[in-house]
Amino acid sequence: MFSLFEKINNNEVYIIAEMSANHGGNLDNALEIVRKVAEAGADCLKIQTYTADSITLDCDSEDFQIHGGLWDGYKLYDLYTDAGTPYEWQSRIKEECDRYGIDFLSTPFDNDAVDFLEDIGCEAYKIASFELVDIPLIEYAAAKGKPMIISCGMGSREEIEEAVAACMRVGNQQIVLLKCCSEYPANWENMHLANIPDMIANYKVPVGLSDHSEGFVASTVAVSLGAHVIEKHVKLEGVSSADSEFSMLMDDFADMVNNVRIVNKMIGNVNYGPTKGESANYLFRRSLFAVKDIKKGELFSDENVRSIRPAQGLEPKYYSELIGNVSLSDIKRGEPIKPYHYRDIN
């Protein structure tokens, strides 16, 4: 059972480890990534389901060349040929996820990929930032009735609204939006994590972060701002790929998972009053005590009553009510003042 909304409804954080191209063209590496992210405490392993032909054209024209950035010099077709996860591996990867007790998730890039993932039992779909504007694809995937996790990198308010509306049109309200900066790696000043609470307020669905930045500061900050899903690219030591430069090593990923869980616990729920751990410390609050012996019939005054620790007597807010009243009994120095010392409570 896909645990995304169970986690969200329990006010927990759902953590997705993105394999992407970091298998380096080797199935054994892919399966090792599954095992490592499960050990690190991830909830889900995500892959991508496409072929170079399903995502672009094998074309040498200038429009299909990449200039600048992480993939400078690549032709689109060659990049996606190198980075793809073979379809024949994907059911095996899912089986390994099942074996290690974590969810399996994939990003389809065309309708055929959705159909393929349906056949292998994929329980949710991720829409990549670059496909945010592919409304027909979103509708087709959402019509399967499974959770939809939609990355919103580069998306305007209107484009995000259109993607959400596409899901709703086909009767799918199981939507999670991910704030994302579609730079690889993403610069911290371009993360704009303030969007997270704004997205929660505007779109009325759970929101998370697809984090392409260095380290995990952004992920922990996102959780503090209300994110319930964190997605992070992961890699194995010594395995190079088209995505390895901005991906996180497994030890660091385990640290990230731990820190995200800690931050989530710190946030907790709205809770005023003492926690269980604080209850014993009520003793150290102030209250009203006799600081001199007080005889029956004597007036309470600044000289014989003070607000001091511990909290065994009247709360200090009753001080002005007490002063000037007659003591109804003898009170020894160091004895807490009680209501019956000056009020007839029978």
Side-chain angles (χ1 to χ4, degrees):
M1 182 69 179
F2 200 73
S3 63
L4 172 66
F5 282 99
E6 179 184 348
K7 285 267 186 176
I8 291 171
N9 292 337
N10 285 335
N11 200 33
E12 298 176 54
V13 179
Y14 186 83
I15 299 178
I16 302 169
E18 165 68 87
M19 181 188 301
S20 192
N22 287 319
H23 49 69
N26 186 301
L27 176 58
D28 288 339
N29 288 339
L31 300 178
E32 181 66 10
I33 288 173
V34 173
R35 294 188 284 269
K36 290 290 187 183
V37 301
E39 291 170 5
D43 297 296
C44 180
L45 182 282
K46 190 182 89 67
I47 64 171
Q48 299 180 2
T49 302
Y50 66 83
T51 65
D53 289 304
S54 71
I55 203 169
T56 190
L57 291 177
D58 187 2
C59 180
D60 294 331
S61 73
E62 185 62 23
D63 286 343
F64 292 85
Q65 310 299 316
I66 301 174
H67 299 292
L70 183 61
W71 301 299
D72 182 49
Y74 259 108
K75 184 173 74 174
L76 282 177
Y77 190 89
D78 294 338
L79 172 64
Y80 298 128
T81 298
D82 290 348
T85 301
Y87 277 41
E88 58 267 25
W89 294 2
Q90 297 195 17
S91 62
R92 178 69 185 87
I93 293 170
K94 183 181 182 301
E95 288 171 4
E96 198 74 355
C97 290
D98 292 342
R99 180 183 173 194
Y100 281 84
I102 61 173
D103 292 336
F104 170 85
L105 175 66
S106 188
T107 302
F109 289 83
D110 68 345
N111 291 359
D112 288 341
V114 175
D115 292 340
F116 169 81
L117 290 167
E118 282 288 294
D119 287 342
I120 68 171
C122 190
E123 295 181 274
Y125 294 108
K126 164 75 188 295
I127 300 298
S129 289
F130 298 106
E131 277 61 46
L132 175 68
V133 295
D134 192 342
I135 298 303
L137 174 63
I138 293 173
E139 285 184 341
Y140 190 81
K144 304 302 180 183
K146 296 174 179 177
M148 296 288 292
I149 303 171
I150 304 174
S151 275
C152 300
M154 304 172 292
S156 67
R157 286 184 185 273
E158 293 74 19
E159 288 166 343
I160 298 170
E161 287 170 4
E162 288 169 358
V164 171
C167 296
M168 298 286 193
R169 266 196 305 276
V170 295
N172 192 332
Q173 299 184 32
Q174 300 177 84
I175 304 163
V176 174
L177 299 177
L178 300 186
K179 173 67 184 80
C180 180
C181 177
S182 296
E183 299 176 15
Y184 303 90
N187 292 319
W188 288 325
E189 63 268 24
N190 293 333
M191 294 294 287
H192 298 298
L193 297 183
N195 281 25
I196 290 172
D198 188 71
M199 290 168 70
I200 293 168
N202 277 291
Y203 302 112
K204 313 300 183 187
V205 298
V207 174
L209 174 69
S210 179
D211 183 8
H212 300 149
S213 67
E214 182 181 355
F216 54 79
V217 172
S219 291
T220 54
V221 171
V223 172
S224 76
L225 292 171
H228 278 292
V229 177
I230 297 294
E231 179 185 77
K232 192 77 173 177
H233 283 70
V234 296
K235 66 181 179 180
L236 299 172
E237 183 80 52
V239 177
S240 295
S241 78
D243 296 327
S244 57
E245 189 171 327
F246 66 92
S247 298
M248 180 175 273
L249 288 167
M250 291 299 175
D251 286 348
D252 295 327
F253 179 72
D255 286 343
M256 186 204 82
V257 171
N258 184 53
N259 278 271
V260 163
R261 304 288 188 218
I262 290 170
V263 170
N264 185 229
K265 286 180 182 177
M266 286 180 176
I267 295 166
N269 299 302
V270 175
N271 179 64
Y272 293 94
T275 65
K276 289 181 180 179
E278 289 175 318
S279 295
N281 289 330
Y282 256 97
L283 174 68
F284 300 111
R285 280 186 161 187
R286 286 179 173 254
S287 68
L288 302 182
F289 270 78
V291 294
K292 291 183 177 178
D293 288 344
I294 302 172
K295 299 292 186 182
K296 181 178 179 179
E298 187 178 345
L299 293 177
F300 292 106
S301 70
D302 295 343
E303 297 296 320
N304 56 26
V305 176
R306 280 176 54 200
S307 168
I308 60 173
R309 297 182 183 185
Q312 301 294 343
L314 284 170
E315 293 179 30
K317 66 182 179 182
Y318 294 107
Y319 182 80
S320 60
E321 178 184 317
L322 176 71
I323 298 303
N325 276 280
V326 173
S327 176
L328 300 180
S329 58
D330 291 341
I331 309 170
K332 292 184 177 180
R333 179 180 182 273
E335 187 177 341
I337 306 296
K338 301 291 187 179
Y340 55 77
H341 284 139
Y342 74 104
R343 296 187 204 137
D344 185 357
I345 60 174
N346 293 322

